[in-house]
Amino acid sequence: MTRQFTFVRSDVTFDSGDVQCAAWLYRPDGVVNPPIVVLAHGFAAFRELRLDAYAARFAQAGYASLVFDYRHWGASGGSPRRILDIGKQHGDWDAAIAYVRGLEGVDTRRVVAWGSSFGGGHVLRLAAHDHDVVAAIVQVPHVSGPASAFSQSPTLVARLIIAGARDQFRAWTGRTPYRMAAIGRPGDVAMMTSPGAYEQVERMGDMREELLAENDVAARIALRVPFYSPGRHAAAINVPVLVQLAAKDDVTPIDKAQAVARRIPKGEVHTYDCGHFEPYLDPYFETIVADQLDFLDRHVGDPR
């Protein structure tokens, strides 16, 4: 029987820009210098939306983990709140990787980047530029700005652009952000309105009102998503990458993601019969995290 390690989770912080990012550091008991997996979430999300479930499984298998919130989100610093700044999030990834490389008691030569959805796109970019990352895992990754931005109805796209322009004008004039819902139901004015998406995010947050109350984002991001296509970095990635796709994904269209995955020289692609948010939830979570552990054991080194 495979050994299951106990672990300790600590609250830590690291500097990114002029603020501190909040993180959970997981250390498996009894493992000397384990590899470490760095995890961050997707669009307008934060640690409590099931990233702890992944990190706990990694720690039980003998891997250390760092799970962090981006600036302006969750427990991390940054004001105004819930501003999604792509460049700052890239900086947060760089700062998180630098932080774990300075830790004692982990193998800093075996650092893995793990990203989901929008964060998966960030990890593709990171892996293409940071050749000391030993491997990467990207789950339902954002790869193409135009494909994701224009996958919704033309009417909704127009309303999002108008909201984005309104918020951008407020930013230029020093006013508080104009916000929109990040996740909504079909027919809502929200960045993502796939059927069932709102209910799945409710399950990810365990129906906690304090988490659901933060389901908004400064609308200016609607002007930027169409121009963010991290999949273009795929061919420059020289480490093993596990790409996990959802066959029913209507947030990140699967045909675009498959095309990007084929360009990753050491890419491994697994496809699951689920929607964009379902990898975090039963009955898919167990299979998906098991595939991640198998990938880590083969490419990073089984810490047991």
Side-chain angles (χ1 to χ4, degrees), residues 7-22:
F7 61 88
V8 174
R9 188 180 91 175
S10 304
D11 290 308
V12 299
T13 60
F14 59 87
D15 292 332
S16 185
D18 58 355
V19 303
Q20 288 190 322
C21 286

Side-chain angles (χ1 to χ4, degrees), residues 213-249:
E214 297 193 6
N215 176 33
D216 63 42
V217 61
R220 69 199 69 169
I221 188 59
L223 304 179
R224 292 162 172 77
V225 168
F227 301 99
Y228 182 47
S229 295
R232 64 188 176 85
H233 299 287
I237 301 172
N238 63 7
V239 298
V241 180
L242 175 62
V243 183
Q244 295 179 299
L245 305 178
K248 299 175 183 176
D249 197 334

Side-chain angles (χ1 to χ4, degrees), residues 257-272:
Q258 288 171 329
V260 166
R262 286 194 292 268
R263 298 205 306 271
I264 300 174
K266 298 178 183 178
E268 299 180 19
V269 183
H270 291 211
T271 302
Y272 307 88

Side-chain angles (χ1 to χ4, degrees), residues 40-93:
H41 227 312
F43 188 94
F46 32 87
R47 294 173 294 169
E48 288 84 357
L49 296 178
R50 293 283 293 168
L51 288 197
D52 52 343
Y54 288 94
R57 291 300 179 88
F58 296 155
Q60 289 168 349
Y63 294 90
S65 297
L66 183 84
V67 185
F68 72 92
D69 280 330
Y70 298 110
R71 276 177 279 181
H72 303 282
W73 294 91
S76 291
S79 183
R81 303 305 297 163
R82 298 188 295 284
I83 300 289
L84 201 165
D85 185 305
I86 294 171
K88 285 185 178 180
Q89 292 194 350
H90 290 166
D92 297 340
W93 266 104

Side-chain angles (χ1 to χ4, degrees), residues 103-291:
L103 288 174
E104 295 184 358
V106 301
D107 188 343
T108 58
R109 299 166 301 173
R110 292 187 291 169
V111 176
V112 179
W114 185 108
S116 185
S117 192
F118 214 63
H122 295 341
V123 166
L124 291 175
R125 175 193 171 276
L126 173 74
H129 291 86
D130 185 337
H131 297 299
D132 291 325
V133 170
V134 72
I137 297 171
V138 292
Q139 181 175 283
V140 291
H142 169 83
V143 297
S144 168
S148 292
F150 300 113
S151 63
Q152 309 200 70
S153 73
T155 300
L156 178 56
V157 170
R159 295 179 75 176
L160 295 178
I161 291 172
I162 291 169
R166 179 178 177 180
D167 181 48
Q168 187 61 67
F169 180 77
R170 291 178 69 89
W172 286 336
T173 55
R175 297 159 71 190
T176 58
Y178 177 74
R179 302 182 181 278
M180 67 172 69
I183 307 290
R185 297 180 173 90
D188 291 347
V189 179
M191 289 296 298
M192 292 175 279
T193 58
S194 304
Y198 187 87
E199 291 76 15
Q200 289 160 16
V201 173
E202 282 186 316
R203 289 175 59 198
M204 289 164 61
D206 199 27
M207 306 296 286
R208 290 161 57 188
E209 289 296 331
E210 69 271 22
L211 299 182
L212 298 175
E214 297 193 6
N215 176 33
D216 63 42
V217 61
R220 69 199 69 169
I221 188 59
L223 304 179
R224 292 162 172 77
V225 168
F227 301 99
Y228 182 47
S229 295
R232 64 188 176 85
H233 299 287
I237 301 172
N238 63 7
V239 298
V241 180
L242 175 62
V243 183
Q244 295 179 299
L245 305 178
K248 299 175 183 176
D249 197 334
D250 53 6
V251 175
T252 299
I254 189 171
D255 57 338
K256 296 293 184 182
Q258 288 171 329
V260 166
R262 286 194 292 268
R263 298 205 306 271
I264 300 174
K266 298 178 183 178
E268 299 180 19
V269 183
H270 291 211
T271 302
Y272 307 88
D273 188 29
C274 64
H276 184 79
F277 295 100
E278 292 182 296
Y280 308 97
L281 303 168
D282 294 333
Y284 303 101
F285 172 76
E286 294 294 342
T287 298
I288 286 169
V289 75
D291 288 343

